[in-house]
Amino acid sequence: MSGRLLVATPRLVDPHFHRTVVLLLDHGPDGALGVVLNRILPVAVDSVLPGWQEVTSSPGGLFQGGPVGLDGAIGVAVGVAVGGGLTTVDPMAGPFGLVDLDSDPDELVGKVDGLRIFAGHAGWSGGQLEEELDERAWFVVDAEPADAYTPEPDTLWRRVLRRQGGELAIVANYPPDISMN
């Protein structure tokens, strides 16, 4: 499932994940790791990682990648250079790669299509994500590269569901509080 999206179903009311879109970066028997793509924080990237603001995709703020490890940062790059000899980016899944945030940010200019910096991440222990999937807490859908650096993260949940068509497109119109439906 690495490289795919976990889209929170309306029944997932945990405030950490309500209406989130998670890019799953790694998934295996020992657990899973991802980043929430649609939770921008009111914090400039440069306030945490000086020099990185100018190379991040618009809107250029820091994103809350999830409730785990909030004192750490993860950089996710998308593009043709991911896995193509760029030493500052480790390929993860498909067009997505992890950025070495100790490197010179200027090394990425013109070499990736998009870049986001996340404070924290979403993590699941072995079997935990599978249990949540069995409980129908998440829809699993294909990611488009631009999902990871969309200029409109606030509308990503609805847009991802709408492009699926059928019943998922209908779910995109659910009110934030499903008891109001």
Side-chain angles (χ1 to χ4, degrees), residues 53-171:
Q53 184 76 41
E54 293 301 315
V55 297
T56 59
S57 300
S58 178
L62 189 66
F63 280 70
Q64 184 170 348
V68 181
L70 291 172
D71 57 344
I74 294 176
V76 175
V78 181
V80 294
V82 173
L86 190 60
T87 59
T88 57
V89 179
D90 245 348
M92 285 296 287
F96 309 106
L98 292 183
V99 176
D100 177 359
L101 296 175
D102 290 325
S103 66
D104 179 357
D106 291 333
E107 291 179 30
L108 297 175
V109 174
K111 296 179 182 167
V112 295
D113 295 330
L115 172 69
R116 279 277 151 74
I117 308 291
F118 299 91
H121 64 277
W124 294 265
S125 60
Q128 184 181 5
L129 178 56
E130 289 75 12
E131 289 175 18
E132 291 181 18
L133 292 171
D134 288 344
E135 294 168 1
R136 297 184 176 169
W138 301 99
F139 299 117
V140 181
V141 302
D142 290 335
E144 292 182 359
D147 293 336
Y149 62 95
T150 177
E152 298 174 334
D154 294 339
T155 62
L156 185 63
W157 186 83
R158 286 184 188 270
R159 285 185 290 119
V160 168
L161 289 173
R162 282 187 183 132
R163 77 175 183 232
Q164 306 310 309
E167 291 180 23
L168 292 186
I170 294 168
V171 171

Side-chain angles (χ1 to χ4, degrees), residues 6-107:
L6 300 175
V7 182
T9 67
R11 71 178 68 203
L12 184 55
V13 295
D14 177 330
H16 295 292
F17 295 108
H18 181 69
R19 290 203 171 202
T20 58
V21 177
V22 176
L23 174 61
L24 199 54
L25 295 170
D26 190 35
H27 179 248
D30 294 331
L33 173 118
V35 289
V36 175
L37 299 176
N38 59 330
R39 293 274 169 91
I40 191 166
L41 296 168
V43 176
V45 172
D46 271 347
S47 68
V48 178
L49 291 166
W52 285 91
Q53 184 76 41
E54 293 301 315
V55 297
T56 59
S57 300
S58 178
L62 189 66
F63 280 70
Q64 184 170 348
V68 181
L70 291 172
D71 57 344
I74 294 176
V76 175
V78 181
V80 294
V82 173
L86 190 60
T87 59
T88 57
V89 179
D90 245 348
M92 285 296 287
F96 309 106
L98 292 183
V99 176
D100 177 359
L101 296 175
D102 290 325
S103 66
D104 179 357
D106 291 333
E107 291 179 30

